[in-house]
Amino acid sequence: KALAKNNSCESLWLSWNEINAEGARSLAAALVENSRLEKLNLSTNQIGTEGATAIVNALKSNSSLRQLNLHNNGIDPTFDSVLADVLKVNRGLVKLHLGQNYYGHKSMLLLAQSLKLNETLQGLYLSTCSIRSDGAKSLAEGLKVNHTLNELVLSYNGINFEGARALAKALKVNTGLQEFSIAGNRIGPKGARYFAKALKVNTTLQHLTLSGNKIKDVGTKAIAAALKKNKTLLVLNIHFNMIRLDGARAIASSLKVNKTLETLIVTDNDLGKESGVEFSQALMENNTLRNLRILFSNIGAEGIQEIAKALSVNSTLNSLGYCDMVLKDNEASILKDALERNPNSSLIDFKTNCISPTLQDEIHTLVRKNFHRTLNSDRKAEIKRIRLMIVGQGKAGKSATVRSLLGKSFNPNWDSTVGADVQEGVVLKNLWTRQKLQSDQAARFAVRLMKQKLPTRNAQKNRSAKSRLTWKRSHTDERSQSLINTDSAKGETFAVDTVEIEGENVSLPPSVPSDEEYIERDPLLNTFSVFGDNGSVSELERQYDSDFILQTTDAVDALTLSIWDFGGQEVFYTMHHIFLTSSGIYLLAFDSRSLLDPVASEDAKQYILFWLRSISLHAPNASILLVGTFAADVKGNFAVLDKILNSFIKDRFPQLLRSSCDYFFPIDNKDLLGIADLRLAIKNCAVTDSALKQEVSMRWMSLLDSIIEKSKDQPYLSFSNQVCNMAADVGILKQSEIIEAMSFFHERGFVIYLDSTAILSEIIVTNPQWLVDMLSKVIRDDSFHITAGDFKQSGLEAEAKRAFSTGEVSLDLLEEVWKGQPIDFLIDLMKRTMLMSEWRKGNSYLVPSLLRRGKYKAPSDLEYCNCLKFDFTETFLAFGVFQRVVCLCVEYLFQKSKLDEHEIEVGPDFASFLFEKDFKVHLLNEQSSQCIFVYAQGPKLFSTFLKILHSMISKVNADVMHGKLKWTVQLRRIKETEFLSLDIARSQQVPGVYVPTFEDQERLVAVDLDSFLEGL
């Protein structure tokens, strides 16, 4: 009953609770009502076939449940027909655990048929289900057609080489399966050979478990030969397979050639001590294997010592497991000696009991010392992080797409996005998850560096002394002293800021060596230790122990996405320009149904074109993925949609990534249709993006940690007074490098850094979501996100109505929506980004973005005016240019004390104001022709106004549009029909003509807003 009404619980674990069929039926009834639960674990209960039937039948109507575990519940084969029918129609279930229930091989025929139709199931777990070889053959037929299942477990099912042959044939054509386990079966050497043949051609399988199958040396040799050709397998488990020296020799030989395998498990085999030599030689050449498990494989002390020799050279192995006998310390000390000789070593974890605790502690100390050494270095590497920006028309399903990408269930009641929603996404192997940005970036970065080889000693010796992480402020030169707050420049030594892991300080274990051990100068890096001259351990060092390093090793290779889900309503378009970046991946979403709707089709085309042009303007080199949502409703019409898109897009946007449907990626968030393909496309775009190749230093990452830590209580920082001091604390002394770091952090979505003017560049917004939220409290759509009635209690309802109808926002209204926030800072920021201008002195402001379309009409006597046409067709008249020009005009008149509220009228696409006595000007924004028209009554001051307006557009272009806009200016005289270029007009001696020059533009726009307006 509680579950049926609950709207917050996403995971429910009820395993080992003796739940019977009656309890399962009650849960099934709740699932029909519940639309929030995503994971349900009922393993090891007593629900039986009757209870399982009730649960899965509920999935015919429930589309939110993503993972269902019915492992070990006494379910018999009569359940399979029900399950098969449900899988044909359910579009939500992603993982299904059915292990340790008796199905038999006949049941697999029905399951295989449903797999041919199901397009959402990604994980199927069928261990100990008595499938046998006949059942495996049936499943293989389903795998030949299904391309969405990426994980399949068939362990302990009595499958022999015939079943293996069928499954291997399926793997030759299957392009979806990434993890496959057939452990504990009876495939033997013959079956291993079949899988070896599949590995030579398969390009998607990443994890293969063949343990406990008696493949022996013959089967192992076949697998080893396949490894020399395979380029995708990451994990191979051949544990407990009666493998001897010949098999070990073959596997070791393959490691010398294979460049992708990361984990090899050969435990519980009889490899012999000679295999240690083979693996040692392989590890000296291999630079990709991270985990090697050879526990209980009879390699003996001699074999272990041979492998230890490789550790003096190998720089990638971070986990080594062996356990045959307890070695004496003098025998095992070779491991320690090897690690001491190898500064590149990333060996972290030992799964063994063959080394004494004392020696284990000493080896772990070396690992931590390597980690600390890396923290102190100025080495560089890439950070695998990129912005993913989702744009498009309102109600196109952008937020639902983000949820689908991050593994969240579809929510039909999700509110429309206000402004933008900023979140962190992580892609590790095939798992997409959401995470919180933590201030441990430097430590994670150091773990990645530990896996890379150090530069040569000669290169290290040539490093400048200025590259030290820790330094004495008393040693800095005058230029760097200018960046430091003089109150704190006292000559003390500074270490990296404190970092927390999940809110707690994590201390090193008691085996940490004494401080004195770290005081000496580091001969490898030619730099001083971050522990300081007095040998005190820095807080950053203290919080990261070997467990952290080990746990982080895989995670540091994950792709991190800074995901920006932009609100689709037009009111937000003007402020979006602040947040769009020149690098990243753009996902442009549109409702597929709208292009097929005769009424909505034209608008849909214009929105798609608008965004394609906007992205091309801001990010001409960024990848664009065009995504058609609600694809399940238009299935069968993909070719028609592609033809429609081709009719108006053609080849105008080369950065548009093509899909299997050519122009667009069809997806449906209700049933996850096409999500796997979209994820793969995003990942491919990210790893091939040249922006990800930029390397950064440990100092930059330490500075980033300081900024992230500050963001917890300070949404913005001063560049000169705070950020420069933080940079100085980690050894970044040059202002140019600090600016470069801030620009980098901005592009990657860590901060907001607007560098178009000196004043704007003084502000570093540490919490981008905070700034989006603050701007969106003013710039929002009253028909979606807020109404004037929301201000009734505060007595500001009338002022709210005026804001949404005339664009005039009172100071009282701003104080209400920004209660408790730095109001002066926010007003100044909105003015400097030209989102707002003064209106009535000290009382109200004009926000043109709030104005509704269609409220104002241009005067009817414009034919009696001189007309200027600013034509942007060479590039694009971006949304927000006109609104910002209006802001500048109003601000200019306000500062010149010429603003007469009775002589000005402003609309979404029109503005009219008295520039001087007897000189009235009208501005008209015409998106359809990509032009701004200026009408002036009378020739007086015409040339002056032309110069001012041209400068204003140039200012908007420089500060907001990254200088990407191009335009021409033409003149049409009173009662004439033809437009003349300004050059021709001047040659014809038309009065009042001013021809702008590049020098004029550069001189005026390269200043802050106040100086710019004063210069006009």
Side-chain angles (χ1 to χ4, degrees), residues 239-355:
H239 154 82
F240 194 53
N241 264 302
M242 301 174 70
I243 303 170
R244 296 182 182 274
L245 179 58
D246 285 349
R249 183 178 288 121
I251 286 291
S253 176
S254 70
L255 292 179
K256 297 177 182 179
V257 178
N258 183 282
K259 303 298 181 185
T260 55
L261 195 69
E262 296 180 354
T263 297
L264 174 62
I265 303 173
V266 289
T267 54
D268 283 296
N269 287 290
D270 189 15
L271 304 182
K273 61 183 180 181
E274 294 89 346
S275 65
V277 177
E278 304 294 336
F279 281 111
S280 178
Q281 292 175 353
L283 290 175
M284 288 182 182
E285 297 184 32
N286 182 285
N287 59 6
T288 57
L289 195 70
R290 298 181 185 176
N291 307 296
L292 177 60
R293 295 283 186 266
I294 49 175
L295 287 89
F296 302 107
S297 291
N298 193 29
I299 67 172
E302 297 90 337
I304 292 174
Q305 290 180 4
E306 288 295 333
I307 290 176
K309 292 178 182 178
L311 299 182
S312 63
V313 177
N314 184 283
S315 62
T316 55
L317 197 68
N318 56 56
S319 184
L320 177 62
Y322 48 86
C323 183
D324 294 303
M325 55 184 294
V326 177
L327 298 182
K328 297 177 181 178
D329 278 0
N330 62 338
E331 294 173 327
S333 62
I334 189 173
L335 290 167
K336 177 188 172 185
D337 295 340
L339 291 175
E340 284 182 324
R341 291 194 302 270
N342 183 3
N344 297 317
S345 176
S346 57
L347 187 62
I348 297 165
D349 186 40
F350 294 90
K351 299 296 184 185
T352 179
N353 62 7
C354 71
I355 300 178

Side-chain angles (χ1 to χ4, degrees), residues 384-547:
K384 296 183 178 180
R385 178 187 175 89
I386 197 168
R387 272 208 201 195
L388 176 63
M389 287 159 282
I390 296 91
V391 298
Q393 191 175 1
K395 300 294 183 181
K398 297 184 296 298
S399 298
T401 300
V402 173
R403 287 181 60 82
S404 295
L405 289 172
L406 296 179
K408 295 293 184 180
S409 60
F410 177 74
N411 185 346
N413 301 317
W414 200 259
D415 291 335
S416 176
T417 301
V418 180
D421 182 36
V422 185
Q423 53 188 307
E424 294 283 304
V426 175
V427 183
L428 180 58
K429 294 184 173 65
N430 302 310
L431 183 64
W432 290 57
T433 55
R434 180 178 178 176
Q435 74 168 17
K436 186 178 179 181
L437 183 63
Q438 300 288 349
S439 54
D440 59 359
Q441 304 298 312
R444 293 179 180 275
F445 189 69
V447 174
R448 173 177 296 156
L449 287 174
M450 286 177 69
K451 293 156 54 179
Q452 299 177 351
K453 290 187 177 181
L454 283 168
T456 64
R457 188 176 297 274
N458 288 337
Q460 294 162 14
K461 288 182 178 179
N462 291 332
R463 281 209 185 102
S464 166
K466 291 182 181 178
S467 67
R468 297 169 184 166
L469 176 60
T470 303
W471 50 284
K472 292 272 190 175
R473 287 193 173 178
S474 57
H475 294 164
T476 56
D477 56 25
E478 293 181 2
R479 178 174 54 186
S480 50
Q481 282 286 357
S482 66
L483 300 178
I484 305 170
N485 189 317
T486 54
D487 293 337
S488 59
K490 299 176 181 178
E492 67 270 33
T493 301
F494 289 81
V496 187
D497 279 354
T498 301
V499 183
E500 293 181 349
I501 302 177
E502 299 179 354
E504 297 182 2
N505 289 334
V506 180
S507 300
L508 289 173
S511 59
V512 175
S514 63
D515 294 344
E516 288 77 12
E517 294 183 46
Y518 288 120
I519 299 177
E520 77 273 16
R521 187 181 178 88
D522 189 337
L524 289 168
L525 297 175
N526 193 28
T527 183
F528 288 102
S529 169
V530 293
F531 298 106
D533 290 348
N534 60 358
S536 60
V537 181
S538 81
E539 196 63 30
L540 178 62
E541 313 282 342
R542 191 179 295 282
Q543 291 181 1
Y544 296 101
D545 59 11
S546 302
D547 289 338

Side-chain angles (χ1 to χ4, degrees), residues 605-644:
K605 291 177 185 177
Q606 292 306 312
Y607 271 107
I608 292 172
L609 277 177
F610 162 77
W611 275 112
L612 286 173
R613 289 167 174 163
S614 294
I615 297 168
S616 295
L617 184 71
H618 282 276
N621 298 316
S623 297
I624 305 174
L625 282 69
L626 190 57
V627 177
T629 57
F630 300 98
D633 296 337
V634 295
K635 212 168 183 180
N637 288 300
F638 293 166
V640 176
L641 286 167
D642 195 66
K643 189 175 181 180
I644 294 172

